[in-house]
């Protein structure tokens, strides 16, 4: 059986056919055979033949047949090697998946996206060019990653989560609630499997999801802190940053505690805080500042988000009377 040997071309995850490098060999043979100078004996024999002294029964025009055969053979070898190399480089995505070069898969399969650093862990990417097709019409590249995920490879499980979450879900119409729910369940399943398998990338996704979520909970914060501490214990780069961010994250319970404290001690609040509290009691939404929860305040001191609270018109009238009296005293 004829085989093809591949050698490295200098870029990890890519290879080229060795026989492409050997194509000068048939050319050299062709040149040597077709262009060999005749010996004196051969020249004498040809002269005798032309003079009629030699009358062979059959003459085999070996040299005249060999020339076009070698020429077209050389052209064929060069053509095949060119298209083989072109095909190979055009499928670098597939090659890296097959060779499990995890760090290069996105570089070749999602060429237009900046999936480096913390960008990889976001869940709001817009990816228009990729090699994975659609969830209901997967490419060979996508099928290989899915097979690797099902086989228990935590790296492929993370990659498969990313593809479902950041590529396939974007192709589904917002009106197709059933399909979106299915993909949500699928992506979450593979993220959890990757985390359970020890994937650092999947663990970072969970931590960042908690840190940058609209409002988290105490239980989610505790889990994020534990995961960040485990990454730090493993010596994962920048894990201390994740740990600090998780500690500084704000939960729903934190905001509720601030709201209750301000509601009970409204006489100690400034005008801005009183207006915000009054709005919460009348409209049912309490806005908060991230600086209210940080030991070292950030530059941005604006209200950033809100939680829903119970309206209390009686308490609102009480606070409004206090505010009017306070304004008159100025």
């Amino acid at each position: 059986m004829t085989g093809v040997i591949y050698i490295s071309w200098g870029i990890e995850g890519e290879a080229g056919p060795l026989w492409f490098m050997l194509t000068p060999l048939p050319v050299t043979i062709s040149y040597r055979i077709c262009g060999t100078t005749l010996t004196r004996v051969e020249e004498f024999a040809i002269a005798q033949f032309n003079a009629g002294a030699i009358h062979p029964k059959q003459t085999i025009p070996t040299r005249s047949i060999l020339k076009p055969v070698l020429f077209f053979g050389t052209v064929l070898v060069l053509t095949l090697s060119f298209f083989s190399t072109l095909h190979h480089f055009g499928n670098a995505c597939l090659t890296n998946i097959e060779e499990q070069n995890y760090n290069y898969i996105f570089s070749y399969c999602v060429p237009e996206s900046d999936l480096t650093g913390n960008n990889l862990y976001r869940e709001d990417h817009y990816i228009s060019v990729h090699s994975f097709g659609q969830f209901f019409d997967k490419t060979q590249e996508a099928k290989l990653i899915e097979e690797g995920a099902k086989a228990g490879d935590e790296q492929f499980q993370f990659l498969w989560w990313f593809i479902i979450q950041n590529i396939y879900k974007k192709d589904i119409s917002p009106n197709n609630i059933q399909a979106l729910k299915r993909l949500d369940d699928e992506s979450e399943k593979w993220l959890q499997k990757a985390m359970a398998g020890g994937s650092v990338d999947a663990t970072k996704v969970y931590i960042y999801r908690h840190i940058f979520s609209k409002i988290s909970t105490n239980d989610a914060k505790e889990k994020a802190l534990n995961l960040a501490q485990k990454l730090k214990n493993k010596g994962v780069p920048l894990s201390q940053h994740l740990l600090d961010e998780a500690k500084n994250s704000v939960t729903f319970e934190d905001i509720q505690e601030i709201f209750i404290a301000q509601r009970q001690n409204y006489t100690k609040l400034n005008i801005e805080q009183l207006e915000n509290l009054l709005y919460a009691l009348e409209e049912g939404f309490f806005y908060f500042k991230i600086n209210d929860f940080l030991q070292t305040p950030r530059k941005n001191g604006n209200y950033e988000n809100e939680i829903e609270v119970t309206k209390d018109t009686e308490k609102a009238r009480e606070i409004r009377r206090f505010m009017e009296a306070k304004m008159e005293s100025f």
Side-chain angles (χ1 to χ4, degrees), residues 177-195:
I177 299 176
Q178 185 175 358
L180 286 174
K181 176 66 167 57
R182 178 180 175 182
L183 292 187
D184 276 333
D185 293 342
E186 279 288 308
S187 66
E188 190 62 25
K189 176 182 75 175
W190 291 112
L191 181 66
Q192 294 298 329
K193 283 180 175 292
M195 287 177 58

Side-chain angles (χ1 to χ4, degrees), residues 108-134:
Y108 291 102
C109 300
V110 193
E112 292 186 355
S113 299
D114 180 20
L115 299 176
T116 58
N118 296 339
N119 287 331
L120 182 62
Y121 311 115
R122 289 167 35 206
E123 299 182 78
D124 59 347
H125 296 283
Y126 176 75
I127 298 173
S128 59
V129 178
H130 56 83
S131 303
F132 304 119
Q134 297 178 330

Side-chain angles (χ1 to χ4, degrees), residues 145-271:
I145 292 178
E146 183 180 19
E147 289 172 5
K150 290 180 178 179
D153 187 312
E154 70 274 6
Q155 291 282 53
F156 277 134
Q157 288 171 346
F158 170 75
L159 293 173
W160 190 229
W161 164 82
F162 183 95
I163 292 169
I164 296 174
Q165 180 68 28
N166 292 283
I167 296 178
Y168 289 157
K169 278 183 62 178
K170 303 300 192 301
D171 294 331
I172 304 298
S173 169
N175 298 325
N176 195 341
I177 299 176
Q178 185 175 358
L180 286 174
K181 176 66 167 57
R182 178 180 175 182
L183 292 187
D184 276 333
D185 293 342
E186 279 288 308
S187 66
E188 190 62 25
K189 176 182 75 175
W190 291 112
L191 181 66
Q192 294 298 329
K193 283 180 175 292
M195 287 177 58
S199 169
V200 171
D201 289 327
T203 302
K204 286 184 177 181
V205 166
Y206 182 89
I207 298 172
Y208 275 104
R209 178 186 287 180
H210 162 76
I211 292 172
F212 297 114
S213 64
K214 184 177 180 181
I215 299 173
S216 187
T217 64
N218 282 346
D219 289 342
K221 180 176 182 176
E222 188 65 27
K223 184 173 182 179
L225 285 170
N226 290 336
L227 290 172
Q229 186 62 55
K230 287 181 179 179
L231 292 183
K232 183 180 178 181
N233 294 342
K234 291 181 179 179
V236 175
L238 302 179
S239 55
Q240 182 61 52
H241 169 73
L242 290 177
L243 189 58
D244 293 339
E245 288 293 318
K247 288 178 180 178
N248 289 332
S249 60
V250 178
T251 67
F252 177 82
E253 290 85 352
D254 293 331
I255 304 166
Q256 270 195 324
E257 187 176 336
I258 289 283
F259 170 70
I260 294 172
Q262 289 189 358
R263 188 177 186 276
Q264 293 175 344
N265 302 285
Y266 65 86
T267 58
K268 299 180 180 179
L269 304 180
N270 57 40
I271 294 298

